[in-house]
Amino acid sequence: MKYSEVERPLRKTTNSRFHHQGRRHPIWLNHDTGEFFEMSRHKNEEVAKGTLNDILTKSGAKK
């Protein structure tokens, strides 16, 4: 799965929103939990399995 495929549903379905651009990665904020998580700038790059699980958990898309 690519970062662009992960980002699309996050923008539509979760309470996670793009917060600000960090030095290296865009930083997102889950407004429900107050947790921050990073995504990659490289939209066509494949997401590692552990990174994908971390993003989905912190975004609230995976309980």
Side-chain angles (χ1 to χ4, degrees):
M1 181 176 275
K2 297 182 182 203
Y3 279 100
S4 61
E5 296 169 348
V6 174
E7 187 175 312
R8 217 172 291 127
L10 288 181
R11 288 188 182 271
K12 293 179 182 178
T13 60
T14 66
N15 200 17
S16 300
R17 296 287 177 251
F18 175 74
H19 185 61
H20 69 276
Q21 183 69 42
R23 287 184 149 198
R24 298 168 196 233
H25 300 286
I27 299 173
W28 287 60
L29 169 66
N30 181 337
H31 292 285
D32 292 337
T33 64
E35 278 198 82
F36 290 96
F37 59 97
E38 295 180 349
M39 296 277 281
S40 176
R41 292 181 196 187
H42 307 286
K43 303 297 182 194
N44 292 327
E45 187 177 289
E46 289 290 321
V47 184
K49 187 190 289 187
T51 304
L52 178 61
N53 285 331
D54 188 49
I55 289 169
L56 294 176
T57 302
K58 288 183 177 180
S59 69
K62 180 179 175 182
K63 305 277 180 188

